[in-house]
Amino acid sequence: MDVTGKVVLISGAARGMGAHEARRFAGAGARVILGDVLLEEAETLAAEIGADRALAVRLDVARAEDWDRAVTAGLDRFGRIDVLVNNAGILRFSDIEHCSDAEWDQVLSINLGGGFRGIRAVIPAMKQNGGGSIINISSTAGLKGFGGVAAYIASKFGVRGLTKAAAIELADHGIRVNSVHPGNVDTEMVDGLYPDFNHVPMKRMAQPDEIASLVIFLASEASSFSTGAEFVADGGETGGMPDLFADGR
């Protein structure tokens, strides 16, 4: 799982999973481009990591021009981009009957459209390098349905499909594309979402570093024959129903 010398562009990097991924990549010898609409927080993280290893850029993933600027800034500073982590995402709670067009469009534009724009933006740089790795952060919500979050579910299933299409198109260029499907991760996004985790066989949330380890694996040559694949890290949540006979019946 060697990522020494690689240049990694991470969206949604200012906090949560993206920030943990950035720290882990930098600690493993990579250089990181921290993209986020929360530019001040991204700049603080970049200063923590070090100017020689990190660059903060303003990145609204719903805007193609922001992606173009982020890629250009990364190339100007580090000379290449080897890895893209499409991490940025939002969660909104509405059932289908009450989900407005504006809310639907916002969730799809960020969660799915952001990934599409990111992939499109890094393709020329990765082709020039002779390859690369793109990691799309989906969710268990991209594998099964949940009520009350229709836009989120649709976006995360879309990320799964986009991953497979991109993997097929880019394989000849040495660019691998995979999706990661975390269950609940201990970040601000899921704070207070569940009173307990009895629906998870391991009876807990994931820690962000556990997801970051999987992302680094997919960025490294240790996963060199993996593309178009789904990597699940959910404590067993999607493996089946909890034990119905745990009470001895």
Side-chain angles (χ1 to χ4, degrees), residues 39-49 56:
L39 181 57
E40 289 187 9
E41 292 186 37
E43 289 174 336
T44 299
L45 178 57
E48 172 195 320
I49 292 170

Side-chain angles (χ1 to χ4, degrees), residues 52 73 241:
D52 59 330
M241 292 291 291

Side-chain angles (χ1 to χ4, degrees), residues 139-159:
S139 168
T140 53
L143 300 171
K144 68 175 188 176
F146 297 88
V149 286
Y152 186 76
I153 294 286
S155 71
K156 293 302 186 179
F157 266 84
V159 168

Side-chain angles (χ1 to χ4, degrees), residues 14-210:
R15 57 173 65 167
M17 286 198 303
H20 281 270
E21 291 157 4
R23 292 187 181 97
R24 285 288 304 278
F25 270 114
R31 291 167 291 175
V32 290
I33 305 159
L34 312 176
D36 209 301
V37 291
L38 304 172
L39 181 57
E40 289 187 9
E41 292 186 37
E43 289 174 336
T44 299
L45 178 57
E48 172 195 320
I49 292 170
D52 59 330
R53 291 208 167 273
L55 168 68
V57 295
R58 189 186 187 282
L59 175 58
D60 178 348
V61 298
R63 296 172 59 87
E65 56 268 36
D66 276 22
W67 276 109
D68 291 340
R69 280 194 291 265
V71 168
T72 298
L75 292 173
D76 288 346
R77 172 69 70 86
F78 299 124
R80 57 189 295 125
I81 295 175
D82 302 286
V83 180
L84 169 65
V85 184
N86 275 316
N87 175 79
I90 60 172
L91 174 63
R92 297 288 183 266
F93 294 92
S94 293
D95 60 22
I96 294 172
E97 183 180 3
H98 300 100
C99 182
S100 68
D101 286 354
E103 181 176 297
W104 176 269
D105 290 344
Q106 180 191 36
V107 173
L108 270 291
S109 183
I110 292 172
N111 294 3
L112 177 56
F116 164 73
R117 295 180 194 96
I119 293 170
R120 185 177 61 186
V122 300
I123 287 174
M126 288 189 176
K127 282 184 176 180
Q128 187 171 347
N129 294 345
S133 177
I134 297 171
I135 301 120
N136 297 322
I137 306 300
S138 181
S139 168
T140 53
L143 300 171
K144 68 175 188 176
F146 297 88
V149 286
Y152 186 76
I153 294 286
S155 71
K156 293 302 186 179
F157 266 84
V159 168
R160 183 180 169 196
L162 174 64
T163 297
K164 294 185 181 299
I168 292 168
E169 291 186 13
L170 300 176
D172 284 347
H173 302 286
I175 302 171
R176 299 183 295 108
V177 191
N178 293 286
S179 57
V180 172
H181 298 259
N184 293 290
V185 183
D186 190 8
T187 64
E188 296 92 336
M189 181 179 282
V190 300
D191 188 32
L193 191 59
Y194 290 103
D196 57 50
F197 292 92
N198 288 332
H199 64 292
V200 180
M202 291 182 71
K203 300 294 191 294
R204 67 175 179 87
M205 288 189 287
Q207 293 303 306
D209 274 354
E210 293 177 299

